[in-house]
Every structure is written in C-alpha cells, then in structure tokens.
Amino acid sequence: MSMDKNVATQKLAVSLKGVRASLDLKNPVLTASGTFGYGLEFSLYGDLRKLGGIVVKGLSLKPREGNPMPRIAETSYGLLNSVGLQNCGAKAFLKEKLPLLPVESLPVIVNLYAVATDEFAELAGLFAGEKGVAALEVNISCPNVREGGLLFGQDARMAAQVTAAVRKRCPDRPLIVKLTPNVTDIAAIARACVEAGADIISCINTISAMAVDLSTRKPLLAAVTGGLSGPAVKPVALRCVWQVSRAVSVPVIGIGGVRNAGDVLEFILAGASAVQVGSASFFCPDTAFRIVEELPALMDKYGIDDLQALRGSLRIEGGE
Amino acid sequence: MLSELTVLEIIECGPRTRLGAGSGLFFLRINAPGWEKSAPGQFVMLRASIDQAEYLCARPFSICRLTDDYLGIFFQARGRATRDFAALKAGDRVCVWGPLGNFLPLDARVPTLILAGGIGIAPFVNYVDKHPDPEKITLEFGHRLPLGCYPFAELRPGCRASAHLEKNGRDREAFSALVKARIREFASSGIVLACGPTPFLRLVREFALKYKAETWLSLETRMACGIGACLGCAVKALLPPDVFIPSPAALAGPLQPEDTERFVQTCICGPNFRADRVLL
C-alpha cells in the first residue's frame, strides 16, 4: 500500500463515542439491518473487512417465518417491503452464522427485534458476553409487524423502557437505538433513549407506506402497508438526522437512501458520524464496498480532510 | 461475480403482425469472455444502468445460453424494466451478477423429461447444451405464440423435442393429457424437469406427486437482490424440522413425514425445487 493510500484510508476512520461505550470504525460506511443478510451473502462482491461494519438482519429470540408474499414492491425511486422480520433466530445466528464472519477485522453489529420489553432484555443477554459482537442495535421501530416494534418507537416512555432494559443486560457494549421516522417529534424520542442509556442513535427505519395496482385493484404488498426505503426517503432521513443530532449529544448514524459517497458526506454534514447503506445493497451487491472506495477521492474533491470536523458543519445562511 | 458487460446484440424473436407489432419476446446476447462457468438451471441478475432509472431493482433471468463468447438471455418485455432491456442496443453496458442459485440435476445415464411452458423454455436451452448425452432427453414444449418467437430451434440437436401450439382450450387439454402421460412414463426410471407459468407448474406438480416421479420445478419469483438478502422471493417449502437455516442441501432429499412448512428464499434455496417439497 502506498503512503498516499494509507493516508487516504486513515482519514476515513471515525470514532462514535457514547456515554458508556464507543464504537471505533475504520470508515463511516456500515450496512443496514435487513439489507445485508447475515453478511456472508455479500462476501463474493467485496472484502467484508473493508467496510466500517455490518448490521445483520434483525434477530428475534425464536425464528420468525415472516409475512406472506408479495413482500416487496418497487415504487418511484423507492422500495417498499413488508418482510415481517423473517429470521433464523438469535441462537442459530450465534451458532451457525457469526463464527463464519471475520469479526477480528469487521465490527459485527446485531440488530434486536422483540415484541415485549422482557424479551428485548433476554435477547440482549444472549449477546452481552459474545466477543464477536461489536455493538447492539435495538429495533424499536420496524413498521412491518403489526404486533410490536412500532409501538415502542412511537412513544418516548416505552422507547426509554426498552433502552433501559437492554442497557441493564448489556452494560458495557455500545448500544445503538434505531428510530422510526413515523412520529411527530423524533428528537423527543431520541432524547428519551439517550437518557435511558443509548450510546448511539441510528435513524431512520423505513417510512410507513403503501402502493396500489390499478389494474388488479390490489395492494402491491400482501400486508397492504409496508416500509419505504431507497433514494426516495433520503430527504426525510437527512431531516431526521439533522434534528436528532442537534437534540442529543451522542453520535448519530444516518440511514435512508445512501447509495454513493456523496450521500455519505451529506449525512455527515447534517450531523451524522457514520451511515448505513440500506436497500442500495439490493440494487447492486457491491454498493457499500464501492462507496468506501470512492470516499477518499470525493473528500479530496471537496477539500475535506477530517470527517469528524465535517460532522454537523452544515452552513446555514444568516445563522438559524 | 459482478461485472459490467457489453451488449452484443438484441433481437425480437418471431414474426411481426401485419400492423408491425413484434412478439415482445427478445433474445439478448451479452459479451462475456471468461465469464464464470455456470451449471444448468442457474440465473443472473441484470440491470441496464446503475443510477438513472426511476425503478431501482435488477431483474432475475435464467441463463438461456452461456458459451465462451456470450451470455444469452431470453425474456419477455412486460414491465418498465424489461421494456428498457428491450430497447438496449449493441455496445450498451449492462450490470450483471451471477451465476446464482442451485443446479438442475443432470445425469448422463438417466432418461430426462423436460416440460417447458412458454418463456419457461429459457433454462433448458443451456441444459441441453451442457448435457453429455442429449439423446437421453425428451422435451415437450407448450406455447401460445408462433414457434419462431421462442428459442426452440436453438435446442442442441440430439434431444427429442416436440412443440405443441396452444390456440384454444382443446389444445390446452391435449397438452395437459400429454404432460400427464409423459410424467407417468418417466416416473419409474427417469427424472422430470419443468419450467413455465405457475398454473403449468401446479399441473406438473400434481401429476408428479400422483405418479411419484422425481420432479424438479424451476421457479420464477419477484426478487430485489438475487443473493439471499432481501427476503422478497420466499416460497413455502417443506423442510426437515431441525434445519434453522434453509439451504439447497436441506431441500435436496425426498420428502419425509416429519418435514414442516416454512418460507425459503427462491434465490439461494432454488430456483430449482423438488416438486414434493415446494408448495405452489
């Protein structure tokens, strides 16, 4: 590796310092839960160790079958899904998937899904002592499943309750809470989570949405409503990151419509410390790897030396 | 493998109507020197451009032919993405990842019955290409458009291939009866492979179960990624109860009484499934 390339690589490093624990990443590009499988699915398309980290598919205590088909539909510049958190369960992940990941050089973040506070705590307990797990991300916001997630993330008191329960079972691991945009005041939810012990806030989860087929007069998803992701949601995600990063003192991870290096820098300008690449990994399986490759040159183009300094440095005419 | 490849040629297959309308069925040849070898039954994900289109997902296609010179895809222009593919020209660049999915069983010694409906003929052109002894293959092809609209003439000589045009309900019944008789004939000593529209596959499955013929169905489902991440292409299948993470291997053996119904991804557990294990 040449000196230039070394410098270029070093300047991508970011440190997400939470109140109780920090997450140090070699670059700000993570992959979003539910869009990157359990990681290995993408190992043919890039070197996983080059990513800032991966967030694996949401895990529940027991395996989940998920929703009936159809579960995905394309919309203009967006992707609508209602998968219903089909997953192999936390125990099968620990036994059959995690040992195959290069955890020494790749931060692996588990995403937790549950329908009750004590279940969240139990799940967190499964990962608390697990060396290969770099951080926990709590999904309090998935809009796909009628019975659960949505309620926690839409109520500051319940969001805090879940955060505190997970925090208690997992005191020393970075704790990320992933917020839903389907609320009136996302900053208030973020504050409640941070007060309850969140080290990092990630946002946004998908936007509650639906699509209709005129010719069949049917909804495009079997579950009728689902979650919208893709470039269509990026402006909403940027707004949420901006509001949350100004409301809390902990790091924010931006998620929503990231598909190139420019998007990463936009999120950092708006206040994010890192980003997660979501459904863009479906559109082309090397997207996250390509973004890492493209970042140094784009930073040079805009005269950016330091991502930490860029964070939240949005220039607003005439102040605010 | 993910590659950016160059379109060599695209042709609309078959005759035009007097008003000039084409069949809407296309054969796309993509320059793929040194492209990975694939096994019959596999598919690729294809997209026409990376950043421009309002729709975002690539589309899955059976590998219709893979030679040292080109990758061939046979498709129907139906929606906005496939209509864009139909408008590709020689020299255009496309993004392709694959080969993906499991293989169709191929055994030079076993009499093999292929049942294809419409564009479901696509994977079998490649299958017959790669078969060491095409004389072991009997292929029955049901179609609604003129035969020239399909790559039927592209089938490598040697296999016994017959085409059956379906113009009306009576033709459909006759083809169904043929499918039934053929499956019965191959049940004891051969295997059956089928690809086509879901109602056709349901019919094949019904007879396959009735006559206990080892039968593999090649499915087409809506996919976003093709590599197991989006979970959009799930189908119901019967799996051994102790399997938490489904795989083609877990679905390869004959059905057991204790096997239970679960969702599996078409892209990584298929697209080729045993008829007794997949529920359509």
Side-chain angles (χ1 to χ4, degrees):
Chain A
M1 192 186 277
S2 75
M3 194 55 137
D4 282 357
K5 184 115 190 225
N6 234 332
V7 171
T9 312
Q10 276 169 14
K11 75 178 185 183
L12 294 183
V14 289
S15 180
L16 280 63
K17 292 192 190 350
V19 179
R20 288 160 199 80
S22 301
L23 190 58
D24 294 315
L25 307 174
K26 60 176 101 57
N27 64 62
V29 182
L30 301 151
T31 61
S33 179
T35 62
F36 210 68
Y38 301 106
L40 291 164
E41 291 87 343
F42 288 80
S43 56
L44 279 176
Y45 303 95
D47 182 350
L48 292 173
R49 294 168 303 179
K50 297 221 165 124
L51 299 173
I54 63 170
V55 186
V56 300
K57 174 73 190 161
L59 295 165
S60 48
L61 276 175
K62 299 241 163 67
R64 284 180 59 97
E65 273 298 283
N67 289 340
M69 305 293 291
R71 293 169 166 186
I72 53 170
E74 271 180 317
T75 58
S76 292
Y77 299 101
L79 184 72
L80 195 56
N81 89 83
S82 180
V83 168
L85 282 143
Q86 179 184 335
N87 79 92
C88 66
K91 285 178 184 153
F93 169 77
L94 284 171
K95 193 169 158 235
E96 299 187 33
K97 297 287 186 186
L98 188 61
L100 304 176
L101 288 167
V103 294
E104 313 78 35
S105 38
L106 171 73
V108 174
I109 298 166
V110 292
N111 178 285
L112 311 184
Y113 170 79
V115 294
T117 306
D118 56 340
E119 264 188 35
F120 267 115
E122 193 180 342
L123 254 179
L126 287 177
F127 295 106
E130 198 55 55
K131 276 206 187 79
V133 171
L136 272 56
E137 182 180 67
V138 183
N139 174 13
I140 58 168
S141 49
C142 186
N144 288 344
V145 181
R146 292 194 193 98
E147 68 224 37
L150 187 61
L151 291 174
F152 288 109
Q154 286 186 319
D155 179 281
R157 185 183 54 84
M158 285 197 291
Q161 218 168 50
V162 173
T163 307
V166 172
R167 179 83 276 172
K168 198 172 162 195
R169 291 297 287 270
C170 201
D172 57 349
R173 209 56 65 95
L175 170 56
I176 307 166
V177 178
K178 182 171 178 177
L179 303 186
T180 172
N182 306 315
V183 293
T184 312
D185 182 2
I186 195 167
I189 309 280
R191 272 193 296 267
C193 294
V194 171
E195 277 161 25
D199 291 309
I200 298 165
I201 297 292
S202 60
C203 62
I204 57 175
N205 208 316
T206 55
I207 301 176
S208 183
M210 66 185 278
V212 167
D213 183 334
L214 177 59
S215 64
T216 61
R217 304 191 184 194
K218 286 180 180 171
L220 286 183
L221 297 177
V224 185
T225 62
L228 186 66
S229 63
V233 313
K234 195 181 86 176
V236 178
L238 279 167
R239 183 269 295 171
C240 290
V241 164
W242 168 248
Q243 290 178 335
V244 169
S245 67
R246 291 157 54 83
V248 299
S249 54
V250 302
V252 176
I253 299 173
I255 319 165
V258 175
R259 61 171 175 175
N260 56 44
D263 294 333
V264 178
L265 298 179
E266 287 180 21
F267 271 97
I268 294 176
L269 267 172
S273 296
V275 302
Q276 293 176 10
V277 178
S279 43
S281 291
F282 300 156
F283 311 147
C284 216
D286 73 344
T287 305
F289 306 101
R290 193 162 33 79
I291 290 175
V292 173
E293 291 278 310
E294 288 170 358
L295 254 182
L298 196 69
M299 287 168 67
D300 283 349
K301 181 181 168 189
Y302 288 105
I304 297 163
D305 291 324
D306 182 355
L307 291 177
Q308 314 264 16
L310 182 72
R311 192 180 69 227
S313 68
L314 196 64
R315 292 173 186 157
I316 294 166
E317 292 290 325
E320 290 170 63
Chain B
M1 187 169 72
L2 172 70
S3 351
E4 212 185 325
L5 303 172
T6 305
V7 172
L8 290 172
E9 182 189 44
I10 180 159
I11 50 166
E12 188 163 19
C13 309
R16 292 192 164 269
T17 65
R18 239 177 285 165
L19 292 170
S23 64
L25 296 170
F26 294 84
F27 194 78
L28 172 65
R29 287 200 303 131
I30 300 167
N31 188 25
W35 209 68
E36 250 175 83
K37 292 282 172 281
S38 77
Q42 290 194 289
F43 68 99
V44 296
M45 296 295 288
L46 173 77
R47 55 178 309 137
S49 61
I50 289 174
D51 278 323
Q52 290 155 10
E54 183 185 322
Y55 56 85
L56 302 157
C57 296
R59 297 291 188 270
F61 295 101
S62 288
I63 294 172
C64 183
R65 178 158 269 169
L66 184 61
T67 71
D68 291 339
D69 302 321
Y70 73 92
L71 167 66
I73 287 167
F74 177 64
F75 70 94
Q76 182 169 27
R78 275 177 62 168
R80 48 190 179 172
T82 45
R83 280 197 299 267
D84 273 5
F85 295 155
L88 285 168
K89 289 184 238 11
D92 286 348
R93 304 282 277 169
V94 290
C95 182
V96 182
W97 60 97
L100 303 165
N102 67 350
F103 316 153
L104 282 166
L106 193 155
D107 187 332
R109 296 158 303 178
V110 177
T112 301
L113 171 65
I114 293 176
L115 300 167
I119 57 170
I121 195 170
F124 297 124
V125 175
N126 188 39
Y127 185 90
V128 177
D129 276 349
K130 303 290 152 63
H131 200 286
D133 184 6
E135 288 181 12
K136 283 282 192 298
I137 299 174
T138 302
L139 187 148
E140 305 291 357
F141 175 51
H143 61 102
R144 287 183 181 167
L145 295 174
L147 193 56
C149 299
Y150 304 91
F152 184 77
E154 295 286 320
L155 288 165
R156 181 171 150 225
C159 74
R160 278 183 302 279
S162 323
H164 312 273
L165 179 64
E166 180 186 313
K167 283 178 296 197
N168 51 41
R170 197 184 301 161
D171 290 340
R172 190 178 320 137
E173 278 167 31
F175 187 58
S176 294
L178 175 76
V179 164
K180 183 179 176 180
R182 284 297 203 195
I183 291 174
R184 188 175 190 176
E185 197 180 310
F186 277 75
S188 56
S189 60
I191 58 167
V192 182
L193 314 175
C195 184
T198 303
F200 171 70
L201 294 183
R202 283 197 188 110
L203 186 80
V204 171
R205 183 173 182 274
E206 184 192 324
F207 298 140
L209 298 188
K210 181 171 181 175
Y211 297 118
K212 299 186 171 50
E214 184 185 331
T215 299
W216 291 75
L217 307 178
S218 188
L219 304 193
E220 182 182 45
T221 56
R222 198 187 285 176
M223 291 178 186
C225 71
I227 62 171
C230 77
L231 304 174
C233 65
V235 289
K236 283 273 182 188
L238 297 160
L239 263 177
D242 56 339
V243 173
F244 286 106
I245 296 170
S247 65
L251 289 156
L255 192 65
Q256 302 301 321
E258 67 272 21
D259 292 345
T260 55
E261 195 177 310
R262 304 256 294 279
F263 271 126
V264 301
Q265 290 125 283
T266 304
C267 62
I268 53 170
C269 293
N272 308 294
F273 292 94
R274 290 181 62 102
D276 52 356
R277 285 198 174 271
V278 68
L279 306 172
L280 296 175

